[in-house]
Amino acid sequence: MRLLPVAIAALIAASSVSAPAVANTEQLVANICDYVQSDDKNRLRKKLKESRVKLRNVYSSISCDGSSLLRTAYNSSANDVGEFIAKRMPSSDLAAPEADGTTILDWAAANGHDGGPITAAIKDRVGG
């Protein structure tokens, strides 16, 4: 008889602990996307540091309206943030195809973003 109330209490405690983590993750992603779109490098750096998150560890799992962070930076003309992201990413990740099978440099060239400061920073990293 005692086992049932203890099990129910444990279940309630476990569900209340996991819910804020998901909400916090969603809020973190939303903040990161906002800072990229508004080209606010300082706030992006501060948010990553406060959250104890390294950009290289979360880059591939963050999508802003279906686009990667670098594509979002390109589309928003967020050159400062785009350069910041490119400089923090491993060159292997920058050279790898994204979700649609296109590398970021190929995508940038195909969408008229070739030759900008973000592209220069990526080329410096990948040696292209």
Side-chain angles (χ1 to χ4, degrees):
M1 288 299 260
R2 286 186 180 176
L3 187 57
L4 185 59
V6 172
I8 291 173
L11 181 63
I12 292 170
S15 66
S16 67
V17 171
S18 62
V22 171
N24 289 341
T25 301
E26 291 173 2
Q27 186 62 42
L28 176 63
V29 170
N31 286 339
I32 289 172
C33 289
D34 288 343
Y35 298 151
V36 170
Q37 290 170 345
S38 62
D39 199 19
D40 196 339
K41 182 175 79 171
N42 291 332
R43 290 183 78 183
L44 176 62
R45 289 176 63 194
K46 183 179 178 184
K47 180 55 77 175
L48 291 169
K49 188 173 183 176
E50 284 175 356
S51 304
R52 295 183 178 148
V53 172
K54 291 194 182 241
L55 194 56
R56 70 180 74 220
N57 296 337
V58 298
Y59 176 82
S60 61
S61 61
I62 295 178
S63 175
C64 303
D65 296 326
S67 296
S68 69
L69 289 176
L70 279 171
R71 290 183 184 189
T72 301
Y74 272 118
N75 288 331
S76 302
S77 299
N79 294 327
D80 290 339
V81 169
E83 288 181 81
F84 172 77
I85 293 169
K87 290 177 182 178
R88 298 301 183 276
M89 297 298 300
S91 58
S92 59
D93 286 359
L94 293 172
E98 292 193 353
D100 65 351
T102 307
T103 66
I104 190 66
L105 286 175
D106 291 341
W107 179 89
N111 288 283
H113 299 294
D114 200 23
I118 301 172
T119 303
I122 293 170
K123 286 181 178 180
D124 286 346
R125 300 282 297 141
V126 297

PDB file of all heavy atoms in Angstrom, residues 8-25:
ATOM      1  N   ILE A   8       3.686   7.418  -7.111  1.00  0.00           N
ATOM      2  CA  ILE A   8       2.993   8.574  -7.680  1.00  0.00           C
ATOM      3  C   ILE A   8       3.771   9.858  -7.385  1.00  0.00           C
ATOM      4  O   ILE A   8       3.937  10.710  -8.258  1.00  0.00           O
ATOM      5  CB  ILE A   8       1.544   8.658  -7.148  1.00  0.00           C
ATOM      6  CG1 ILE A   8       0.728   7.489  -7.719  1.00  0.00           C
ATOM      7  CG2 ILE A   8       0.900   9.990  -7.520  1.00  0.00           C
ATOM      8  CD1 ILE A   8      -0.651   7.366  -7.131  1.00  0.00           C
ATOM      9  N   ALA A   9       4.266  10.002  -6.182  1.00  0.00           N
ATOM     10  CA  ALA A   9       5.063  11.186  -5.824  1.00  0.00           C
ATOM     11  C   ALA A   9       6.331  11.261  -6.666  1.00  0.00           C
ATOM     12  O   ALA A   9       6.721  12.341  -7.123  1.00  0.00           O
ATOM     13  CB  ALA A   9       5.403  11.151  -4.343  1.00  0.00           C
ATOM     14  N   ALA A  10       6.977  10.127  -6.884  1.00  0.00           N
ATOM     15  CA  ALA A  10       8.192  10.103  -7.705  1.00  0.00           C
ATOM     16  C   ALA A  10       7.879  10.481  -9.147  1.00  0.00           C
ATOM     17  O   ALA A  10       8.634  11.215  -9.789  1.00  0.00           O
ATOM     18  CB  ALA A  10       8.844   8.727  -7.638  1.00  0.00           C
ATOM     19  N   LEU A  11       6.774  10.006  -9.668  1.00  0.00           N
ATOM     20  CA  LEU A  11       6.373  10.325 -11.034  1.00  0.00           C
ATOM     21  C   LEU A  11       6.081  11.817 -11.188  1.00  0.00           C
ATOM     22  O   LEU A  11       6.504  12.450 -12.155  1.00  0.00           O
ATOM     23  CB  LEU A  11       5.144   9.499 -11.424  1.00  0.00           C
ATOM     24  CG  LEU A  11       4.617   9.699 -12.845  1.00  0.00           C
ATOM     25  CD1 LEU A  11       5.667   9.273 -13.855  1.00  0.00           C
ATOM     26  CD2 LEU A  11       3.343   8.926 -13.040  1.00  0.00           C
ATOM     27  N   ILE A  12       5.383  12.383 -10.239  1.00  0.00           N
ATOM     28  CA  ILE A  12       5.084  13.818 -10.282  1.00  0.00           C
ATOM     29  C   ILE A  12       6.366  14.636 -10.185  1.00  0.00           C
ATOM     30  O   ILE A  12       6.553  15.599 -10.922  1.00  0.00           O
ATOM     31  CB  ILE A  12       4.093  14.202  -9.156  1.00  0.00           C
ATOM     32  CG1 ILE A  12       2.723  13.583  -9.450  1.00  0.00           C
ATOM     33  CG2 ILE A  12       3.978  15.709  -9.008  1.00  0.00           C
ATOM     34  CD1 ILE A  12       1.740  13.698  -8.310  1.00  0.00           C
ATOM     35  N   ALA A  13       7.261  14.239  -9.308  1.00  0.00           N
ATOM     36  CA  ALA A  13       8.534  14.960  -9.160  1.00  0.00           C
ATOM     37  C   ALA A  13       9.358  14.873 -10.441  1.00  0.00           C
ATOM     38  O   ALA A  13       9.947  15.864 -10.878  1.00  0.00           O
ATOM     39  CB  ALA A  13       9.314  14.400  -7.980  1.00  0.00           C
ATOM     40  N   ALA A  14       9.393  13.718 -11.047  1.00  0.00           N
ATOM     41  CA  ALA A  14      10.175  13.549 -12.280  1.00  0.00           C
ATOM     42  C   ALA A  14       9.598  14.371 -13.424  1.00  0.00           C
ATOM     43  O   ALA A  14      10.338  14.973 -14.203  1.00  0.00           O
ATOM     44  CB  ALA A  14      10.231  12.076 -12.665  1.00  0.00           C
ATOM     45  N   SER A  15       8.297  14.430 -13.542  1.00  0.00           N
ATOM     46  CA  SER A  15       7.688  15.188 -14.634  1.00  0.00           C
ATOM     47  C   SER A  15       7.866  16.691 -14.434  1.00  0.00           C
ATOM     48  O   SER A  15       8.013  17.428 -15.394  1.00  0.00           O
ATOM     49  CB  SER A  15       6.212  14.840 -14.778  1.00  0.00           C
ATOM     50  OG  SER A  15       5.485  15.261 -13.642  1.00  0.00           O
ATOM     51  N   SER A  16       7.868  17.143 -13.204  1.00  0.00           N
ATOM     52  CA  SER A  16       8.044  18.576 -12.967  1.00  0.00           C
ATOM     53  C   SER A  16       9.478  19.007 -13.175  1.00  0.00           C
ATOM     54  O   SER A  16       9.738  20.156 -13.495  1.00  0.00           O
ATOM     55  CB  SER A  16       7.579  18.945 -11.555  1.00  0.00           C
ATOM     56  OG  SER A  16       8.417  18.367 -10.581  1.00  0.00           O
ATOM     57  N   VAL A  17      10.424  18.104 -13.019  1.00  0.00           N
ATOM     58  CA  VAL A  17      11.830  18.442 -13.219  1.00  0.00           C
ATOM     59  C   VAL A  17      12.166  18.500 -14.693  1.00  0.00           C
ATOM     60  O   VAL A  17      12.896  19.368 -15.135  1.00  0.00           O
ATOM     61  CB  VAL A  17      12.743  17.415 -12.489  1.00  0.00           C
ATOM     62  CG1 VAL A  17      14.194  17.601 -12.863  1.00  0.00           C
ATOM     63  CG2 VAL A  17      12.563  17.538 -10.991  1.00  0.00           C
ATOM     64  N   SER A  18      11.633  17.617 -15.507  1.00  0.00           N
ATOM     65  CA  SER A  18      11.995  17.567 -16.919  1.00  0.00           C
ATOM     66  C   SER A  18      11.332  18.667 -17.739  1.00  0.00           C
ATOM     67  O   SER A  18      11.880  19.094 -18.736  1.00  0.00           O
ATOM     68  CB  SER A  18      11.665  16.198 -17.508  1.00  0.00           C
ATOM     69  OG  SER A  18      10.280  15.968 -17.437  1.00  0.00           O
ATOM     70  N   ALA A  19      10.191  19.131 -17.369  1.00  0.00           N
ATOM     71  CA  ALA A  19       9.490  20.146 -18.143  1.00  0.00           C
ATOM     72  C   ALA A  19      10.256  21.461 -18.239  1.00  0.00           C
ATOM     73  O   ALA A  19      10.375  22.016 -19.325  1.00  0.00           O
ATOM     74  CB  ALA A  19       8.098  20.371 -17.584  1.00  0.00           C
ATOM     75  N   PRO A  20      10.804  22.022 -17.156  1.00  0.00           N
ATOM     76  CA  PRO A  20      11.539  23.274 -17.287  1.00  0.00           C
ATOM     77  C   PRO A  20      12.776  23.157 -18.166  1.00  0.00           C
ATOM     78  O   PRO A  20      13.145  24.105 -18.833  1.00  0.00           O
ATOM     79  CB  PRO A  20      11.923  23.619 -15.852  1.00  0.00           C
ATOM     80  CG  PRO A  20      10.924  22.920 -15.009  1.00  0.00           C
ATOM     81  CD  PRO A  20      10.592  21.666 -15.766  1.00  0.00           C
ATOM     82  N   ALA A  21      13.414  21.989 -18.207  1.00  0.00           N
ATOM     83  CA  ALA A  21      14.601  21.834 -19.037  1.00  0.00           C
ATOM     84  C   ALA A  21      14.246  21.999 -20.509  1.00  0.00           C
ATOM     85  O   ALA A  21      14.966  22.635 -21.269  1.00  0.00           O
ATOM     86  CB  ALA A  21      15.244  20.473 -18.789  1.00  0.00           C
ATOM     87  N   VAL A  22      13.111  21.457 -20.920  1.00  0.00           N
ATOM     88  CA  VAL A  22      12.673  21.606 -22.300  1.00  0.00           C
ATOM     89  C   VAL A  22      12.314  23.054 -22.585  1.00  0.00           C
ATOM     90  O   VAL A  22      12.694  23.606 -23.607  1.00  0.00           O
ATOM     91  CB  VAL A  22      11.473  20.669 -22.592  1.00  0.00           C
ATOM     92  CG1 VAL A  22      10.873  20.962 -23.949  1.00  0.00           C
ATOM     93  CG2 VAL A  22      11.903  19.218 -22.488  1.00  0.00           C
ATOM     94  N   ALA A  23      11.602  23.676 -21.669  1.00  0.00           N
ATOM     95  CA  ALA A  23      11.227  25.077 -21.846  1.00  0.00           C
ATOM     96  C   ALA A  23      12.467  25.959 -21.898  1.00  0.00           C
ATOM     97  O   ALA A  23      12.540  26.882 -22.711  1.00  0.00           O
ATOM     98  CB  ALA A  23      10.301  25.514 -20.729  1.00  0.00           C
ATOM     99  N   ASN A  24      13.435  25.699 -21.041  1.00  0.00           N
ATOM    100  CA  ASN A  24      14.663  26.485 -21.043  1.00  0.00           C
ATOM    101  C   ASN A  24      15.430  26.302 -22.342  1.00  0.00           C
ATOM    102  O   ASN A  24      16.011  27.252 -22.859  1.00  0.00           O
ATOM    103  CB  ASN A  24      15.542  26.114 -19.851  1.00  0.00           C
ATOM    104  CG  ASN A  24      14.967  26.601 -18.531  1.00  0.00           C
ATOM    105  OD1 ASN A  24      14.126  27.493 -18.501  1.00  0.00           O
ATOM    106  ND2 ASN A  24      15.409  26.008 -17.448  1.00  0.00           N
ATOM    107  N   THR A  25      15.447  25.087 -22.873  1.00  0.00           N
ATOM    108  CA  THR A  25      16.138  24.825 -24.126  1.00  0.00           C
ATOM    109  C   THR A  25      15.453  25.569 -25.268  1.00  0.00           C
ATOM    110  O   THR A  25      16.126  26.189 -26.094  1.00  0.00           O
ATOM    111  CB  THR A  25      16.158  23.309 -24.423  1.00  0.00           C
ATOM    112  OG1 THR A  25      16.807  22.652 -23.340  1.00  0.00           O
ATOM    113  CG2 THR A  25      16.883  23.012 -25.708  1.00  0.00           C
TER     114      THR A  25
END
